[in-house]
Amino acid sequence: MPNSRPRSRRGAGGGAGAAGRDRLVARSLQSAEHCLAAQDFGTAYAHYLLVLSLAPELKDDVKETFQYTLFKWAEELDALSRVQDLLGCYEQALELFPDDEVICNSMGEHLFSSVRVNALDASTPPRGALGHLRCTGRNSEKKSGECRAHDLQRRMGFRDEAAGYFHKAVKLNPDFSDAKENFYRVANWLVERWHFVMLNDTRRNRIYNAAIQKAVGSGSTSVLDIGAGTGILSMFAKKAGAHSVYACELSKTMYELACDVVAANKMEAGIKLLHMKSLDIEIPNHIPERVSLVVTETVDAGVFGEGIVESLIHAWENLLLQPKTKGENGNCGKYGKVIPASAVIFGMAVECAEIRRHHRVGAKDIAGIHLPTNVKFQSPAHSSVDTEEAVEPYTTEKMSRIPGGYLPLTDCFQIIKVDFNSLQELKSLATRKPQPLAVPAVKEGVLDAIVVWFVLQLDDEHSLCTGPAEETCWEQAVYPVQALADYWIKPGDSVTMEASCQDCYLRIQSISILRLEHEMEVKKSFTKSKDLFSLGNEAELCSALANLQTSRADALEQACVLEPTEIALLNNIPYHEGFKTAMRKVLSSLAPEQLCQPVDAHCQDVEMNSESGQSDSVPSTTDPFYVLDVSEGFSLLPILAGTLGQVKPYSSVEKDQHCLALDLISEANHFPKDTLEFWLRHIEDEAAVLQRPKSDKLWSIIILDVIEPSGLIQQEIMEKAAISRCLLQSGGKIFPQYVLMFGMLLDSQTLVEESAVQGTEHTLGLNIAPFINQFQVPIRVCLDLSSLPCTPLSQPVELLRLDLMTPYLNTSRREVKVRVCRSGRVTAVPFWFHLCLDDEVRLDTSGEASHWKQAAVVLDNPIQVQAGEELVLSVEHHKSNVSITVKQS
């Protein structure tokens, strides 16, 4: 038998090989165990890889130990910033355990977070931080030039991959709460919430569809959709009869979603989807020839922020047929055209207390802390003409829903008009000198912002307006007014500014008030100066010029850029007064005990705050109290603690400009030098921020940031509280000591439409909802319940208590009965918190002065209810995450 000998030889060799393999596997397992005992996780990991590659049948036996080894080795690689090695280890692990939800979730976490360490390294992608949710509208990811576009592409790629692993982990184990929470948070980045609002905007969809139908019907039958998203515009073009439709989308998540949507609508044969930037499209590599029509909706609240100018310049130069000249006739298919055809940008000066409190610090004295004039607080929207940093010059707001409303101070005025069908005009935008504008005031009030919107002219017949009075998916761009000596304006005065398109942004800068009386004074001074020139009196001329100078820069002036929520926090007077009262009570209760403790020689010379007054200070001792503030971002609380007696306050702020500002505020309040310590300068690892102030000392007070500005509980807050309790001296306190969560039943169609696409009616019969709704999240954040269109269906009820000082009072699950007081449809359960610094001092995150927003659980299936009914809310608390389910009793 010709094949018997080879088979026999393979069998014999296989037996010997199997024995050798078994010995190698046994030795490797033994070596792995020794390495684990010695905490040599890298070598142990390598041994386990060898074992599993040689003996895959041992997977179930070593799975848990292998996971432990992988996670410990990953921690070491992460600490060493060896990002690529770390991700490589996870890729190897997933080849061995492709259906392990724990490894999938951990891989996603590292993908999403690993880039932060290497944000300055061009070879690795920068990262965001899991759980940081933007509260702005369609204004969150803007491109400026190739460098920023490349940076954006890398970030989006890593988020896409992270979301994929989180999603897979949830599919493998639907009850895996960590993976669900991770996926929900990344979903907010990958498919931003405005996608749902936009697709539910029936009017927007109808007008775009009509303009595309008209263009295709006129002969523009080869179409390129730039920034395709779900592919809705491409499908409009295909349904209108376009022969060739191409669509490009940068986000991998949105590209894959568009592929599914196009296939579900049976158009995959007629629409070619490209996962790339339009700037990278080449003929004939990606599309065979130039197209006759480009459709795009890459316009944010400030029109240019999503890179429409750059992409259309490239399209006209490389992808579009030449435009039709005036008076020229012929088939439209021979010429190039863009939808939208043009945009006209409008503005209006407004008074708005809500914008003011998020962008200007109004108080000069905060709970006894004097804010010196040489510290200038600015929000990120403050735009300097000379800055080299690419700063977003505006934020966004839905002005029709802004809390407290707004007052127009000027009539609507035109800022810029741009023709998207003119290559010359598009190119001139970036080089055009800033255009000066002067707009007369028509009402008296406080100048807080310039609000900007636009009219998008799709063609000569169809247009969309995004103004504050319009029901539209767009928000308005808001340019806060900052750094004026006086913000009061009245009829007869004018608001002056300069408008330009720089760095792919619409910039409104150098905003000021020109007063009628000031203009007359300037003219008089100018006339006097001319007379002095003629007299040749140099001394008097210099004096006149000096009188014309309106301000002089202070050599010690410190600009301090704060996030809008940080500025709102400084304007939150009840917050600071509450902390002052609660801290004074704790320190006063500790003073007798402190008198009995040994003197700390290092702190004997610490001076008392001479300005704080006897009523604010606690009894003096030679040994200071140690107070640690680990609030997120800028905080005055350490300085406030320092006014209460012999206190050694520690701040965890990390930005140099914030440290300098706090130093200047300390000096202005007569704090002795070096009284305030910046704790991160004293520790090697930021993770060690909760540790003893000195080897023989404990903290008297630890201040934790429990609630995110978005309205959610901070991640890992209960773990931080557990560590903090171990670091408190006897009688010391964590602030807040406990937190109460409140909620109510609500009927809000707005929340429903902002959370998921509703059927096919809004999308004109196209089947999009099931695919994009995979990325809906159960919790909506950054809400303001005071202005949300809604109908309350119950009174507020207490849902949960989180006790940071006495954890045995906490329960992980609770059921609460809620009585319906008004008939309607329950669509959501909004929630907010009371931060209880003690039993008497509470801070309400839904209060008028609150710098926090609120959040809401949006129901998948609304519940119809009648007044008098009772519903049961099942509230579950896992780590820092809260879930709420509603059922009828």
Side-chain angles (χ1 to χ4, degrees):
M1 296 177 61
N3 293 327
S4 63
R5 288 177 61 86
R7 279 203 300 269
S8 177
R9 279 200 302 268
R10 283 200 298 269
R21 183 205 69 164
D22 291 343
R23 286 194 297 273
L24 181 56
V25 167
R27 285 200 302 268
S28 293
L29 277 174
Q30 189 177 25
S31 297
E33 291 170 3
H34 286 309
C35 291
L36 279 181
Q39 296 191 340
D40 182 359
F41 299 111
T43 308
Y45 176 76
H47 282 299
Y48 277 121
L49 280 182
L50 179 60
V51 167
L52 291 169
S53 63
L54 292 174
E57 67 273 11
L58 296 177
K59 282 183 180 180
D60 291 340
D61 296 332
V62 301
K63 179 179 176 180
E64 289 187 10
T65 312
F66 175 76
Q67 280 184 350
Y68 171 78
T69 307
L70 169 65
F71 298 155
K72 297 301 289 185
W73 178 225
E75 286 178 10
E76 291 188 12
L77 292 173
D78 190 37
L80 295 169
S81 300
R82 290 171 56 183
V83 177
Q84 297 303 328
D85 291 338
L86 184 153
L87 298 180
C89 286
Y90 271 95
E91 287 171 358
Q92 292 169 329
L94 285 168
E95 288 179 7
L96 296 167
F97 297 95
D99 295 328
D100 187 295
E101 71 271 22
V102 178
I103 296 178
C104 282
N105 181 63
S106 188
M107 173 66 158
E109 289 179 337
H110 281 291
L111 272 170
F112 203 85
S113 64
S114 61
V115 214
R116 185 164 121 201
V117 178
N118 298 281
L120 301 178
D121 180 0
S123 66
T124 54
R127 83 171 177 182
L130 199 60
H132 286 203
L133 305 177
R134 292 188 57 114
C135 296
T136 57
R138 193 168 173 181
N139 188 35
S140 58
E141 291 290 8
K142 301 192 186 71
K143 300 175 284 294
S144 175
E146 285 298 318
C147 181
R148 210 172 345 151
H150 180 57
D151 175 70
L152 172 61
Q153 187 174 16
R154 289 183 298 168
R155 278 184 288 163
M156 291 177 69
F158 269 62
R159 291 178 195 164
D160 280 336
E161 290 187 51
Y165 284 109
F166 293 145
H167 199 203
K168 183 177 180 180
V170 173
K171 283 185 174 181
L172 290 166
N173 183 358
D175 296 325
F176 191 5
S177 56
D178 287 352
K180 283 196 293 187
E181 179 65 19
N182 284 335
F183 177 69
Y184 292 153
R185 290 186 177 242
V186 179
N188 277 296
W189 291 61
L190 294 174
V191 180
E192 293 180 273
R193 302 304 94 186
W194 53 258
H195 278 285
F196 298 104
V197 184
M198 182 181 70
L199 289 167
N200 283 320
D201 188 342
T202 309
R203 182 172 177 271
R204 170 258 185 200
N205 296 335
R206 283 178 178 162
I207 291 174
Y208 252 98
N209 186 38
I212 291 171
Q213 280 187 336
K214 181 179 176 182
V216 172
S218 300
S220 300
T221 58
S222 57
V223 182
L224 171 63
D225 180 0
I226 295 178
T230 59
I232 188 171
L233 301 187
S234 300
M235 291 187 289
F236 286 163
K238 193 62 191 172
K239 286 183 70 176
H243 299 316
S244 306
V245 180
Y246 311 98
C248 62
E249 173 56 49
L250 175 61
S251 162
K252 182 182 178 184
T253 299
M254 293 305 298
Y255 163 75
E256 291 176 348
L257 193 154
C259 289
D260 292 339
V261 168
V262 168
N265 287 275
K266 297 180 170 43
M267 298 188 199
E268 66 270 33
I271 299 174
K272 182 179 180 180
L273 288 157
L274 303 167
H275 177 215
M276 61 194 313
K277 294 181 296 179
S278 67
L279 302 180
D280 293 333
I281 296 176
E282 296 177 350
I283 296 173
N285 294 337
H286 304 110
I287 61 176
E289 57 187 0
R290 287 178 178 254
V291 298
S292 55
L293 177 64
V294 161
V295 296
T296 187
E297 203 243 28
T298 50
V299 284
D300 71 334
V303 182
F304 307 126
E306 290 186 14
I308 190 171
V309 172
E310 184 182 18
S311 62
L312 289 184
I313 288 174
H314 176 268
W316 277 115
E317 290 180 337
N318 300 280
L319 307 174
L320 266 166
L321 295 169
Q322 293 302 304
K324 183 188 288 188
T325 58
K326 286 186 178 180
E328 194 170 0
N329 295 318
N331 184 0
C332 290
K334 297 179 180 179
Y335 307 100
K337 179 180 180 178
V338 172
I339 294 177
S342 63
V344 185
I345 304 174
F346 297 95
M348 178 172 62
V350 301
E351 174 183 309
C352 180
E354 183 71 4
I355 294 174
R356 184 189 316 144
R357 79 183 187 97
H358 280 85
H359 295 277
R360 294 207 301 266
V361 178
K364 302 298 182 186
D365 184 280
I366 300 176
I369 300 296
H370 170 66
L371 298 183
T373 57
N374 61 342
V375 177
K376 303 295 183 183
F377 295 107
Q378 299 171 351
S379 78
H382 178 78
S383 176
S384 171
V385 180
D386 301 323
T387 184
E388 294 182 1
E389 185 181 357
V391 178
E392 291 182 3
Y394 52 89
T395 183
T396 63
E397 294 286 352
K398 193 77 169 175
M399 295 302 295
S400 62
R401 281 167 47 182
I402 199 161
Y406 65 95
L407 173 69
L409 300 176
T410 68
D411 290 330
C412 163
F413 58 91
Q414 182 173 317
I415 299 173
I416 289 178
K417 181 176 181 179
V418 56
D419 183 356
F420 294 131
N421 282 296
S422 170
L423 176 59
Q424 181 180 358
E425 188 168 327
L426 289 168
K427 284 186 170 181
S428 71
L429 265 180
T431 57
R432 194 183 302 172
K433 290 183 178 180
Q435 173 188 354
L437 295 169
V439 186
V442 295
K443 289 186 180 176
E444 190 172 15
V446 179
L447 177 61
D448 292 315
I450 306 297
V451 174
V452 168
W453 66 94
F454 57 89
V455 172
L456 207 59
Q457 198 72 40
L458 303 189
D459 55 24
D460 56 4
E461 183 183 351
H462 303 95
S463 64
L464 287 166
C465 178
T466 68
E470 301 289 335
E471 283 299 322
T472 173
C473 59
W474 279 278
E475 297 183 342
Q476 291 75 50
V478 174
Y479 295 78
V481 179
Q482 304 179 63
L484 298 185
D486 184 8
Y487 295 90
W488 190 257
I489 191 171
K490 61 184 183 300
D493 298 339
S494 294
V495 181
T496 64
M497 67 200 81
E498 291 182 345
S500 62
C501 176
Q502 298 175 11
D503 196 26
C504 286
Y505 292 121
L506 173 67
R507 295 189 178 273
I508 309 292
Q509 46 202 27
S510 303
I511 303 171
S512 61
I513 299 173
L514 180 62
R515 307 188 188 281
L516 183 62
E517 58 269 25
H518 177 72
E519 188 177 3
M520 295 173 61
E521 288 174 8
V522 170
K523 287 180 179 177
K524 289 179 183 177
S525 300
F526 181 70
T527 304
K528 183 177 179 182
S529 298
K530 285 173 62 179
D531 294 341
L532 289 172
F533 267 116
S534 62
L535 293 171
N537 188 327
E538 186 175 348
E540 290 187 36
L541 174 60
C542 291
S543 175
L545 291 174
N547 289 332
L548 287 175
Q549 184 175 344
T550 56
S551 63
R552 183 164 55 92
D554 193 325
L556 297 176
E557 187 173 291
Q558 170 64 31
C560 185
V561 178
L562 302 180
E563 291 298 320
T565 51
E566 293 175 310
I567 292 178
L569 172 58
L570 286 180
N571 286 320
N572 188 345
I573 301 301
Y575 174 93
H576 294 91
E577 293 284 3
F579 266 99
K580 184 175 183 179
T581 300
M583 286 193 292
R584 185 192 298 119
K585 285 195 284 185
V586 170
L587 296 177
S588 295
S589 70
L590 292 174
E593 183 178 330
Q594 287 286 88
L595 286 170
C596 302
Q597 293 189 0
V599 173
D600 185 349
H602 174 71
C603 299
Q604 282 184 349
D605 298 327
V606 176
E607 299 178 41
M608 296 294 291
N609 178 7
S610 59
E611 296 294 314
S612 61
Q614 290 298 315
S615 62
D616 279 348
S617 61
V618 299
S620 175
T621 73
T622 55
D623 198 19
F625 301 103
Y626 289 89
V627 175
L628 173 64
D629 178 17
V630 287
S631 300
E632 298 284 334
F634 189 84
S635 173
L636 283 182
L637 295 182
I639 297 178
L640 195 57
T643 67
L644 299 177
Q646 196 160 329
V647 172
K648 187 69 174 172
Y650 287 75
S651 168
S652 63
V653 300
E654 52 186 319
K655 294 181 180 178
D656 288 342
Q657 58 169 318
H658 293 177
C659 295
L660 288 171
L662 287 174
D663 275 337
L664 290 174
I665 295 170
S666 298
E667 290 175 14
N669 287 273
H670 308 289
F671 273 33
K673 189 173 178 60
D674 297 331
T675 296
L676 176 63
E677 295 282 358
F678 297 106
W679 193 220
L680 293 182
R681 294 177 180 174
H682 295 268
I683 56 179
E684 295 181 1
D685 182 5
E686 188 177 338
V689 67
L690 290 171
Q691 63 181 42
R692 291 170 181 264
K694 296 181 68 178
S695 60
D696 60 338
K697 299 296 176 186
L698 293 169
W699 300 106
S700 302
I701 294 173
I702 297 177
I703 300 168
L704 297 179
D705 218 342
V706 178
I707 307 301
E708 294 181 6
S710 65
L712 297 178
I713 298 174
Q714 289 276 7
Q715 293 293 289
E716 300 179 351
I717 191 61
M718 301 310 291
E719 292 84 347
K720 290 179 182 177
I723 297 172
S724 298
R725 288 192 296 271
C726 300
L727 297 172
L728 289 174
Q729 70 173 93
S730 177
K733 299 295 182 184
I734 299 171
F735 284 153
Q737 295 184 37
Y738 60 95
V739 176
L740 301 177
M741 177 180 173
F742 290 86
M744 63 191 301
L745 304 178
L746 204 67
D747 185 350
S748 174
Q749 184 62 22
T750 298
L751 277 182
V752 170
E753 295 190 357
E754 289 179 353
S755 301
V757 177
Q758 304 299 305
T760 59
E761 182 181 351
H762 295 300
T763 53
L764 311 189
L766 293 171
N767 185 19
I768 300 176
F771 303 96
I772 193 166
N773 287 351
Q774 293 180 64
F775 291 88
Q776 72 182 99
V777 296
I779 295 181
R780 287 276 289 116
V781 297
C782 297
L783 300 175
D784 198 306
L785 296 179
S786 68
S787 61
L788 177 73
C790 64
T791 303
L793 302 180
S794 76
Q795 294 296 320
V797 294
E798 183 181 320
L799 300 179
L800 194 69
R801 175 185 172 117
L802 297 178
D803 203 304
L804 279 67
M805 284 295 297
T806 50
Y808 65 85
L809 295 176
N810 295 325
T811 57
S812 60
R813 186 181 180 89
R814 185 176 181 225
E815 288 196 342
V816 182
K817 288 187 176 181
V818 184
R819 181 170 293 277
V820 176
C821 63
R822 182 171 181 170
S823 299
R825 191 180 60 143
V826 179
T827 60
V829 180
F831 57 88
W832 61 96
F833 301 90
H834 286 182
L835 277 63
C836 303
L837 305 186
D838 55 33
D839 289 333
E840 296 174 345
V841 181
R842 290 190 179 190
L843 304 173
D844 185 354
T845 67
S846 67
E848 186 178 345
S850 171
H851 62 283
W852 292 283
K853 297 293 186 183
Q854 296 85 55
V857 172
V858 182
L859 276 60
D860 287 335
N861 300 302
I863 301 174
Q864 197 70 36
V865 294
Q866 299 295 323
E869 276 188 61
E870 277 192 345
L871 296 186
V872 177
L873 303 186
S874 179
V875 186
E876 188 169 353
H877 174 236
H878 174 71
K879 293 186 177 178
S880 298
N881 306 317
V882 174
S883 64
I884 302 173
T885 54
V886 185
K887 56 185 178 182
Q888 291 175 304
S889 59

